[in-house]
Amino acid sequence: MQQTILAISGKPGLYKLVSRGKNNLIVEALDSTHKRIPAFATDRITSLSDIAMFTETEDVPLMDVLENMKTLEGGKKASINEKKASGQELRDYFTKVLPEWDQDRVQNSHIKKLITWYNILIEAGITDFKDEEENSSIEDSSSAE
């Protein structure tokens, strides 16, 4: 899942990789439109698995941050309205999600985008933010004991 969910610079929302063309990727919007569009090599395309959040110690993968949000919200949409919340409300909320985040390098716009992406994924029914291989290796090691 992590490799096929994409963020495209300059385009709002998130996209799912559908197919690969000769010179482009065919992606489908994860919102209610499910509109399919081509994404070209000139677009900055980033897989969610390649994104991390700054913290005071080391960067935390975005999937771990999304998992923290899912735990905090009980698997439901975010309890904060990112469009109406003040900067301080966003920062207070993000402190609950990721207590050790770097307050100098993470901007309010980053927090808004994170909450928007989280809501898009929840609405699309995508709630398994941890890698399947990671989950199965944890189960394998616990069953071996």
Side-chain angles (χ1 to χ4, degrees), residues 10 14 18 35-36 45 52 68 71 76 80 87 126:
L14 293 173
V18 176
K35 185 175 161 185
R36 290 186 178 194
I45 303 168
N68 290 354
T71 302
K76 297 181 177 70
I80 187 171
I126 300 170

Side-chain angles (χ1 to χ4, degrees), residues 52-115:
M53 295 298 284
F54 297 121
T55 67
E56 297 294 341
T57 52
E58 58 188 36
D59 295 351
V60 174
L62 182 66
M63 291 299 156
D64 291 348
V65 178
L66 290 170
E67 188 67 32
N68 290 354
M69 283 185 74
K70 183 176 95 173
T71 302
L72 177 69
E73 298 295 350
K76 297 181 177 70
K77 286 179 64 174
S79 57
I80 187 171
N81 183 338
E82 72 277 10
K83 292 178 178 78
K84 294 182 180 175
S86 70
Q88 188 58 48
E89 289 171 329
L90 289 170
R91 295 170 105 60
D92 291 345
Y93 176 80
F94 197 57
T95 300
K96 294 178 197 168
V97 174
L98 192 65
E100 70 276 8
W101 65 287
D102 188 333
Q103 299 196 16
D104 295 329
R105 296 196 293 174
V106 177
Q107 305 298 316
N108 290 347
S109 60
H110 299 148
I111 299 170
K112 284 182 179 183
K113 185 178 283 189
L114 173 73
I115 294 169

